[in-house]
Amino acid sequence: MSESTPICPQCASEQNYFDGTFTVCLECGHEWDAASTTSSTQELDVKDSNGNPLANGDDVILIKDLKLKGSSTVLKKGAKAKGIRLVEGDHEIDCKVDGMKIMLKACFVKKA
Ligand SMILES: [Zn+2]
């Protein structure tokens, strides 16, 4: 028995079963997606230019002017991005600056 038993997030019961899509609790009838619960708690290790860890919902500030690819728009040093979302990939930060939805590299920002 190496498989860990999922625990109901509602009543913490181990009496549950997987019906192919959701895990269903036999105690309270709660259904949840055990697979997505696991992946959403997985933290991405993203650090800003100062080496401070960043998290979803943080505010960050640009530390240099950044020219947007394929446009003449330049994001100014000091511009603030509120409520960032961390994603996997080359550009780790999904956010809005000046109302524009953009992706940023963590090395070009610092935590606000
Ligand atoms: Zn339950």
Side-chain angles (χ1 to χ4, degrees):
M1 285 287 285
S2 60
E3 244 176 275
S4 63
T5 309
I7 292 173
C8 175
Q10 194 123 302
C11 69
S13 168
E14 290 185 7
Q15 301 300 312
N16 50 57
Y17 67 96
F18 184 63
D19 76 352
T21 310
F22 295 108
T23 303
V24 183
C25 178
L26 293 173
E27 296 286 325
C28 70
H30 183 63
E31 296 181 13
W32 72 99
D33 187 343
S36 80
T37 305
T38 310
S39 65
S40 68
T41 54
Q42 200 175 34
E43 301 224 342
L44 291 169
D45 185 25
V46 178
K47 291 187 173 66
D48 72 2
S49 56
N50 293 323
N52 293 316
L54 294 171
N56 287 324
D58 278 352
D59 296 346
V60 297
I61 292 171
L62 297 186
I63 59 163
K64 60 174 280 183
D65 290 356
L66 291 178
K67 192 172 184 304
L68 286 187
K69 264 185 198 167
S71 83
S72 58
T73 308
V74 176
L75 298 171
K76 290 290 180 191
K77 177 183 173 182
K80 198 172 184 180
K82 286 187 176 179
I84 63 168
R85 200 171 67 86
L86 299 179
V87 294
E88 284 184 71
D90 186 32
H91 291 60
E92 306 97 333
I93 299 173
D94 182 3
C95 63
K96 270 187 175 179
V97 178
D98 295 338
M100 279 177 301
K101 192 170 155 47
I102 55 165
M103 303 288 289
L104 292 174
K105 288 194 180 216
C107 59
F108 294 145
V109 303
K110 66 176 180 183
K111 199 168 175 173

